Amino acid sequence: MIANMKRFLRFLILVGFALLLFWLGKQFGSKNVNQEILSNSMIVKDIAELASLEVQGNATTKRSNVENDGGWMNNMKKAFVENTVWVTIPYVAKFGIDVDSQNFKVDVSDKKIVVSLPEPKLLSYELRVDKMETANRKGMLLFSDDETYTDVQKQLYRESRAQLEGNKLYANQSKEKIVKILREYYKPWLKDHELVVEFGGTKMPLLD
C-alpha cells in the first residue's frame, strides 16, 4: 500500500512538473521549453514504469500417484499407498514494460507525437507461500512428507508463472493503462497534436 502511494505521488509530481513547464512555455512564448517536454524520453520511461499493472489471483495444482479408473488394482493402491496432494497459493504479479530496454523513442513533429515502447511483459511474480492452503489424501502405509509439498510448490510456481507469461489479457490491460496515463501527461498538447503510442512497432488504438 505504501509503495503504491509513493508511486502515485511520484506520478503526480511528474505531471505537475510537466504542466508547470507547459504554462511557462505559454507565458513566455518558449517553443523550446514545450518541445523539450514533448520529446523527453526519460519522463516517458518514468511514466511507463509507474503505469505497471498489478494482478492478483490463486495458483492451484494437484499431484497424485493414482487414477480414478475404478479398477481393482487402483482401489488397492488408493487404500494403501495413495499420495494425493492439493495446493492453492495466492500470487501477486506485475505486468509492464522493461524500463531498461533500449526500445524507447519519442518522435515529435508539428502535428504528431509518436511514443514507441517495447511490448509489455510479466515483470515480477511472487507466490504468497505464507497464505498457502493444502489438503492431502494418503494411503494407510504412507506418512506425512514435507518434501512432497516443497516439490509441489516448485512445480506450481513454474506452471503458473508460464501461464501468466502467455496471458494476452493482462498484457493488453497493461497497454491500455500505459496509454491512458500517457494521454493524461500529453493532454495539454493534444489540441494541436495527435498522440500515437506503439508497442513493439504496432500502433495502439487510443481509447477515450
Side-chain angles (χ1 to χ4, degrees), residues 42-199:
M42 294 304 297
I43 293 180
V44 174
K45 280 189 177 184
D46 284 340
I47 290 174
E49 181 181 17
L50 292 169
S52 60
L53 175 73
E54 183 176 283
V55 296
Q56 299 183 27
N58 291 312
T60 303
T61 192
K62 172 187 174 182
R63 177 188 288 185
S64 181
N65 63 346
V66 297
E67 298 178 1
N68 293 317
D69 59 8
W72 178 84
M73 184 62 69
N74 192 62
N75 289 335
M76 290 292 293
K77 192 174 182 180
K78 279 185 177 182
F80 294 102
V81 296
E82 178 181 4
N83 187 12
T84 300
V85 176
W86 292 268
V87 175
T88 298
I89 308 178
Y91 67 78
V92 179
K94 186 169 77 170
F95 285 81
I97 59 175
D98 183 0
V99 295
D100 294 327
S101 171
Q102 300 300 312
N103 299 325
F104 281 92
K105 190 177 180 182
V106 181
D107 290 322
V108 180
S109 64
D110 290 339
K111 294 296 181 180
K112 186 178 290 188
I113 306 165
V114 181
V115 180
S116 301
L117 302 170
E119 287 281 351
K121 63 180 182 179
L122 180 64
L123 297 177
S124 65
Y125 180 69
E126 177 187 2
L127 290 178
R128 299 294 305 275
V129 181
D130 58 317
K131 299 189 177 191
M132 176 175 65
E133 296 181 1
T134 63
N136 67 77
R137 189 165 61 214
K138 293 181 178 296
M140 291 185 292
L141 299 181
L142 290 183
F143 300 94
S144 297
D145 182 7
D146 291 338
E147 290 186 4
T148 299
Y149 287 108
T150 301
D151 290 341
V152 172
Q153 287 177 34
K154 292 178 180 178
Q155 175 189 344
L156 181 58
Y157 179 86
R158 291 193 301 269
E159 293 177 351
S160 57
R161 182 185 178 98
Q163 290 176 356
L164 279 179
E165 285 176 340
N167 192 305
K168 299 298 182 183
L169 175 64
Y170 290 144
N172 288 332
Q173 288 179 356
S174 177
K175 291 180 182 180
E176 291 172 1
K177 186 175 181 181
I178 292 171
V179 169
K180 183 178 179 180
I181 294 181
L182 285 175
R183 284 193 65 176
E184 189 66 28
Y185 170 72
Y186 283 115
K187 189 174 181 178
W189 295 274
L190 295 185
K191 292 180 180 179
D192 50 12
H193 285 80
E194 176 193 0
L195 175 62
V196 176
V197 181
E198 297 178 347
F199 292 94

Side-chain angles (χ1 to χ4, degrees), residues 18 20-38 189:
L20 175 62
L21 292 181
F22 173 74
W23 179 81
L24 290 174
K26 285 285 188 180
Q27 287 292 106
F28 299 102
S30 174
K31 184 176 180 180
N32 290 335
V33 171
N34 287 329
Q35 193 75 8
E36 178 67 22
I37 304 170
L38 287 171
W189 295 274

